[in-house]
Amino acid sequence: MGKFNFKDKQDFKKERVNAEAFYASIGEIYCPYFVEKITFNMAGLKHLKFKSDKVARSHSEQYARLKLLIFAPQVLSLSRTVQGISRTKHFERIRMHSRTDTILKPVFYYEFIAVLKNVRIKVIVKQIDGGQKFFWSIIWNYYGLSINQI
């Protein structure tokens, strides 16, 4: 069994509770690449659990991402170079004037890669239309290895 496989639902629930408590304790992390703080808001935690609104990730995928979450602050606090930048336009839910609208906005994704404890980890930071940068996702970056070989 690999590091990111869980045995039963209790194992998954325990990891989810621990990861959510850890995530809530992070708040912000200073990133040397941006020379500013990266926020760990609820959008990032939601993205770890859901692919899109009302479409949840599988338990095994959630478990792996939540298990890796402890490495995200470390990767961002040590990163002095970015490995990839992607610019796209995406419909984002924006709260303005006491209502929520879905508006097409320019979005930047910044990719940071590190190898910690023999696992190659990719952390993604998101920025919507020049706004605040925030943690978006973490995944294992395996290049041909199955998750069980990690």
Side-chain angles (χ1 to χ4, degrees), residues 1 12 16-18 55 64 71 77 83 94 103 106-107 134 139:
M1 248 178 131
F12 171 73
R16 188 181 68 205
V17 168
N18 291 341
V55 179
F71 297 119
S77 66
Q83 279 68 38
I94 306 293
I103 301 170
V107 177
F134 57 94
I139 57 175

Side-chain angles (χ1 to χ4, degrees), residues 14-26:
K14 179 182 170 189
E15 187 62 41
R16 188 181 68 205
V17 168
N18 291 341
E20 287 173 353
F22 174 73
Y23 193 90
S25 71
I26 299 171

Side-chain angles (χ1 to χ4, degrees), residues 72-132:
Q74 188 177 3
V75 170
L76 289 175
S77 66
L78 296 174
S79 293
R80 288 177 167 61
T81 58
V82 67
Q83 279 68 38
I85 299 174
S86 174
R87 182 182 187 274
T88 186
K89 288 191 175 185
H90 192 264
F91 283 100
E92 297 289 336
R93 294 176 56 95
I94 306 293
R95 181 110 175 122
M96 290 178 16
H97 309 295
S98 300
R99 67 182 220 188
T100 303
D101 288 329
T102 303
I103 301 170
L104 187 64
K105 295 272 197 174
V107 177
F108 286 89
Y109 295 97
Y110 301 92
E111 176 182 304
F112 299 93
I113 298 174
V115 178
L116 300 170
K117 295 195 178 182
N118 296 325
V119 179
R120 188 177 170 118
I121 300 165
K122 183 189 301 184
V123 175
I124 301 183
V125 173
K126 183 175 181 179
Q127 182 181 26
I128 301 171
D129 196 23
Q132 185 178 26

